[in-house]
Amino acid sequence: MRLRHIAAPIPLLLLAACTRRPDPLPGFPRVFVWAWERREDLRWLDTGSVGVAFLARTVCPREDGVAVRPRMQPLLTPPGTVLMAVVRVESDGLGAGADVSHTARAIADAAGEPRVRALQIDFDAVASERSFYRALLGEVRHRIPPQTPLSMTALASWCEADGWIAGLPVAEAVPMLFRMGADHYDPGSDFRGDLCRSSVGVSTGELPSRIPSGRRVYVFDPRGWSPDHLHAVLRKVGQWQSEF
């Protein structure tokens, strides 16, 4: 009898483990190119299938204040492009004692830039900064419009046994599958963290052979974007996932 009670729920557990997380960004493109701090002319982009996540500003929190460095290079996109403003946070490990409210205001202001439909935060927070980061995300979420999705990038380790990002007030956490150092990724394997099961971040120079199915893909190109580079990426994405 005990064996029956233990065995009976297993199919349900397997079903739950295999269930795909609902798309947290419905209506958004399934592929985003990251446009970092360089001149990017993307007027050739197919806005129906690809969005642009562009570096809007860099925010540097310290105990004595917050410095903001705006984007310095032009970004050219066609009308109708779905734009996601990305804010890079650089603390040099000194963010734990920074003012949450002032830092959140500097980040949230990027959501008000023209044509921006979503906000993404890129912050490699060290362990001592995690409480600060959690509070920061809550404050940013409070400051931006309810209809504006809030995204974050994530170290691969955050999406595995670490688990500290569970319950953060974001629509998605994008596991970064490049420049991973000691964080080894087994191509095609999935992540334990629920927030990490709807998207991935890759680089054109380090494309994995496989990724989990049904993911939104964010792509960085260290050389700068061109039609040929993007077409090669889209072919690879098509190999990964048949629904793209």
Side-chain angles (χ1 to χ4, degrees):
M1 292 297 294
R2 288 184 178 179
L3 290 176
R4 290 178 184 176
H5 283 306
I6 293 172
I10 290 178
L12 296 178
L13 292 175
L14 291 174
L15 178 61
C18 296
T19 300
R20 184 179 299 171
R21 184 173 184 247
D23 186 359
L25 303 177
F28 280 63
R30 300 291 294 174
V31 176
F32 274 84
V33 296
W34 269 312
W36 224 239
E37 185 61 275
R38 63 166 62 90
R39 185 183 190 277
E40 291 279 15
D41 187 347
L42 300 173
R43 287 176 290 186
W44 45 267
L45 203 66
D46 177 4
T47 61
S49 59
V50 180
V52 177
F54 69 99
L55 179 66
R57 59 182 58 186
T58 301
V59 172
C60 304
R62 300 288 189 273
E63 292 186 3
D64 59 350
V66 180
V68 178
R69 183 169 67 247
R71 181 185 183 89
M72 304 300 293
Q73 299 295 326
L75 173 68
L76 305 176
T77 59
T81 303
V82 175
L83 295 178
M84 179 180 295
V86 182
V87 177
R88 170 68 180 169
V89 179
E90 295 184 352
S91 69
D92 297 328
L94 303 175
D99 185 277
V100 171
S101 181
H102 288 170
T103 307
R105 184 182 303 114
I107 294 172
D109 284 349
E113 296 194 15
R115 300 166 51 205
V116 165
R117 290 182 51 188
L119 179 65
Q120 186 176 82
I121 302 177
D122 180 43
F123 182 21
D124 304 329
V126 299
S128 63
E129 296 174 313
R130 291 179 178 180
S131 294
F132 166 76
Y133 196 13
R134 182 176 290 275
L136 179 64
L137 288 167
E139 183 70 16
V140 171
R141 179 66 272 176
H142 175 72
R143 288 179 176 274
I144 64 177
Q147 69 274 16
T148 301
L150 179 60
S151 169
M152 65 179 287
T153 62
L155 301 180
S157 61
W158 296 356
C159 299
E160 288 296 329
D162 195 316
W164 78 272
I165 66 173
L168 291 178
V170 296
E172 62 173 3
V174 183
M176 311 292 281
L177 304 186
F178 59 100
R179 300 179 183 176
M180 297 174 65
D183 293 323
H184 176 70
Y185 175 66
D186 181 18
S189 63
D190 212 340
F191 293 96
R192 297 180 183 179
D194 183 62
L195 288 173
C196 302
R197 296 171 67 92
S198 62
S199 60
V200 297
V202 300
S203 171
T204 57
E206 304 176 49
L207 291 174
S209 58
R210 292 186 299 138
I211 64 172
S213 64
R215 297 307 196 261
R216 176 169 284 104
V217 181
Y218 293 83
V219 191
F220 174 72
D221 190 340
R223 303 164 295 178
W225 285 105
S226 71
D228 288 344
H229 293 177
L230 181 59
H231 291 160
V233 167
L234 294 179
R235 285 196 298 270
K236 186 64 175 179
V237 171
Q239 295 172 10
W240 285 334
Q241 303 183 63
S242 60
E243 66 260 39
F244 282 12

